[in-house]
Amino acid sequence: MGAVSPARGARTLSGNQPQQERSRATRLKLLEAAVSCLAERGWSGSTVSVVAERAGVSRGAAQHHFRTREDLFTAAVEHVAEKRQNALKAVAHNLPPVGSPARTRIIVEELVGLYTGPLFRAALHLWVAASDEEQLRERVTALEARVGREAHRTAVALLEADESVPGVRETVQGLLDMARGLGLANLLTDDSGRRERVVEQWAGNIHATLRLG
Amino acid sequence: MGAVSPARGARTLSGNQPQQERSRATRLKLLEAAVSCLAERGWSGSTVSVVAERAGVSRGAAQHHFRTREDLFTAAVEHVAEKRQNALKAVAHNLPPVGSPARTRIIVEELVGLYTGPLFRAALHLWVAASDEEQLRERVTALEARVGREAHRTAVALLEADESVPGVRETVQGLLDMARGLGLANLLTDDSGRRERVVEQWAGNIHATLRLG
């Protein structure tokens, strides 16, 4: 175990590499297509075949990567959520000075942005389907917990919030709940005007509450 | 038009009264059954027949009251939302003194309660279905706007918030968005422990932000 012969290692690095890369690229195309399909057509309109067609991949190749419909869509939501959160973490390098209200405003905007795009729409369809379907429920519950914990960690890090201070943890949690609620309010109509005003006001409230200034 | 003969008026008030009452009772049974059906079985599992059976009413009688599936379920969510909000307004007569943190705490708890029961679960199924189904979309969008406005009015009245002060309107809106997000977090698992801590903290934040004390 762990011992790879030089010959085999060399083959992996040369001959198999392009195939592995192609396989990885196919997988990524399927994951991205699955999220946009779920966001646009809901759970009932989202099957492995529909996603394979959208991704320009054969149904067989899709089933090689994802054995079941549940595998494909939970992996897709998790993948896109990770990508969004990594993009959000990258924002940290390009923010106004620590302690400025402008910094808090941008962070709150970005956190709310996690919940107002196609990813949230896709996740919402998956959650609601999971509330009726036993075989989805357990997996989506675990997925939601992982993604939620990660969002919380990202929020705490960006806000440089000190969770050892009583109430700070719950203030950040409530902010993420508000972000989820804003995502829901954006489901049927474009709520961006109202959302912008709520974000501006609550960024100020959060800034004062966390005594970030 | 508008002229009712005394004989007809008299008949309406006497002979037809029990029939009208029965009809009203049947309608109410159907509305309540529709919300619990939607909450438990989702949109795909909710038909007029299923609701009629649950309400102990014939399918014909159900269709006499509600011509289409969309009529029944949008009317049901609106009816139960009105009932919940009226119950919430009644809370106003039995609160701790104006200006006390305990009063704000109870109001925030009650507002969050609007979004964590079967009604919210039912409404969520309807919203998500409406995001895919053209014939539902317009009606549910209008319904959501009416119910949302009413919840906002109730929140402002209970909190005795002065919306002429800049930011107060958005603070109250964000609180209701948070309540919606807490409802969503309760969809797949019992989130009541975490929710209680968030509500306690945010009640304090709202109390300080609105300078209610």
Side-chain angles (χ1 to χ4, degrees):
Chain A
M1 242 174 69
V4 175
S5 75
R8 193 172 164 200
R11 201 172 62 231
T12 303
L13 286 173
S14 58
N16 284 353
Q17 193 78 342
Q19 193 194 319
Q20 282 178 1
E21 270 168 30
R22 275 200 307 276
S23 172
R24 200 178 119 78
T26 299
R27 193 170 189 278
L28 285 178
K29 274 196 283 188
L30 287 165
L31 293 172
E32 303 276 347
V35 165
S36 64
C37 182
L38 199 48
E40 286 166 29
R41 306 179 54 158
W43 176 246
S44 62
S46 294
T47 62
V48 176
S49 301
V50 168
V51 171
E53 198 186 326
R54 189 180 279 239
V57 166
S58 74
R59 193 159 185 278
Q63 281 182 324
H64 167 76
H65 284 278
F66 302 99
R67 212 174 43 82
T68 67
R69 185 184 179 208
E70 287 76 17
D71 285 343
L72 170 58
F73 289 98
T74 52
V77 166
E78 185 146 27
H79 164 74
V80 176
E82 270 173 18
K83 222 177 74 173
R84 280 292 325 247
Q85 296 206 3
N86 287 336
L88 183 49
K89 283 174 200 158
V91 165
H93 304 300
N94 205 5
L95 284 173
V98 174
S100 67
R103 184 184 177 96
T104 309
R105 164 74 188 269
I106 291 175
I107 294 168
V108 172
E109 258 174 20
E110 292 285 341
L111 289 170
V112 168
L114 280 180
Y115 298 93
T116 44
L119 167 63
F120 178 76
R121 196 175 287 262
L124 189 58
H125 280 293
L126 202 61
W127 287 342
V128 169
S131 76
D132 301 329
E133 289 188 26
E134 220 38 70
Q135 77 245 47
L136 253 184
R137 194 187 180 93
E138 203 177 315
R139 303 181 60 163
V140 174
T141 302
L143 168 65
E144 191 198 355
R146 284 198 301 277
V147 172
R149 268 196 305 271
E150 190 55 27
H152 184 83
R153 265 197 293 269
T154 305
V156 166
L158 287 174
L159 290 166
E160 299 178 57
D162 180 359
E163 291 202 295
S164 71
V165 176
V168 164
R169 184 175 173 74
E170 288 74 21
T171 291
V172 174
Q173 285 184 337
L175 173 63
L176 290 171
D177 287 310
M178 189 190 75
R180 259 178 229 115
L182 286 168
L184 203 51
N186 202 49
L187 184 65
L188 298 181
T189 49
D190 174 8
D191 189 44
S192 53
R194 186 189 76 94
R195 181 168 68 245
E196 204 177 303
R197 294 188 294 274
V198 170
V199 162
E200 179 169 2
Q201 177 63 22
W202 272 94
N205 295 351
I206 291 286
H207 192 78
T209 300
L210 295 180
R211 290 181 187 76
L212 293 171
Chain B
M1 240 173 72
V4 175
S5 74
R8 194 172 163 198
R11 199 169 67 230
T12 303
L13 287 172
S14 59
N16 284 356
Q17 193 79 341
Q19 193 195 318
Q20 281 178 3
E21 270 168 30
R22 275 200 307 278
S23 172
R24 199 177 121 78
T26 299
R27 193 170 189 277
L28 286 177
K29 275 196 284 188
L30 287 165
L31 293 171
E32 303 276 347
V35 165
S36 64
C37 182
L38 199 49
E40 286 166 30
R41 306 179 57 159
W43 177 246
S44 62
S46 294
T47 62
V48 176
S49 300
V50 168
V51 171
E53 198 185 329
R54 189 179 277 238
V57 165
S58 75
R59 193 161 184 279
Q63 281 182 323
H64 167 73
H65 283 279
F66 301 99
R67 213 173 44 82
T68 67
R69 188 184 177 208
E70 288 75 19
D71 284 343
L72 170 58
F73 288 97
T74 52
V77 166
E78 184 147 26
H79 164 74
V80 176
E82 269 174 19
K83 220 176 75 170
R84 281 292 324 249
Q85 297 207 3
N86 288 335
L88 183 49
K89 284 175 200 159
V91 164
H93 303 301
N94 206 6
L95 285 172
V98 173
S100 67
R103 183 185 177 97
T104 308
R105 164 76 187 269
I106 292 176
I107 293 169
V108 171
E109 260 174 20
E110 292 284 341
L111 289 171
V112 167
L114 280 179
Y115 297 94
T116 44
L119 168 63
F120 178 76
R121 196 175 287 263
L124 189 58
H125 280 292
L126 202 61
W127 287 341
V128 169
S131 77
D132 301 329
E133 289 188 28
E134 219 40 67
Q135 77 246 49
L136 253 184
R137 194 185 179 95
E138 202 177 318
R139 303 180 61 162
V140 174
T141 302
L143 167 65
E144 192 198 355
R146 281 197 302 276
V147 171
R149 268 197 304 272
E150 189 57 26
H152 183 84
R153 263 197 293 267
T154 304
V156 167
L158 286 174
L159 290 166
E160 300 178 56
D162 179 1
E163 290 201 299
S164 70
V165 176
V168 164
R169 185 177 173 75
E170 289 74 20
T171 292
V172 174
Q173 285 183 336
L175 172 64
L176 291 171
D177 286 311
M178 188 199 71
R180 258 178 231 116
L182 285 169
L184 202 50
N186 203 49
L187 184 64
L188 297 180
T189 50
D190 175 8
D191 189 43
S192 54
R194 186 189 76 92
R195 182 169 67 243
E196 203 176 306
R197 294 188 294 275
V198 171
V199 162
E200 180 169 359
Q201 179 61 25
W202 271 62
N205 296 351
I206 291 282
H207 193 77
T209 300
L210 294 180
R211 291 181 185 77
L212 293 171

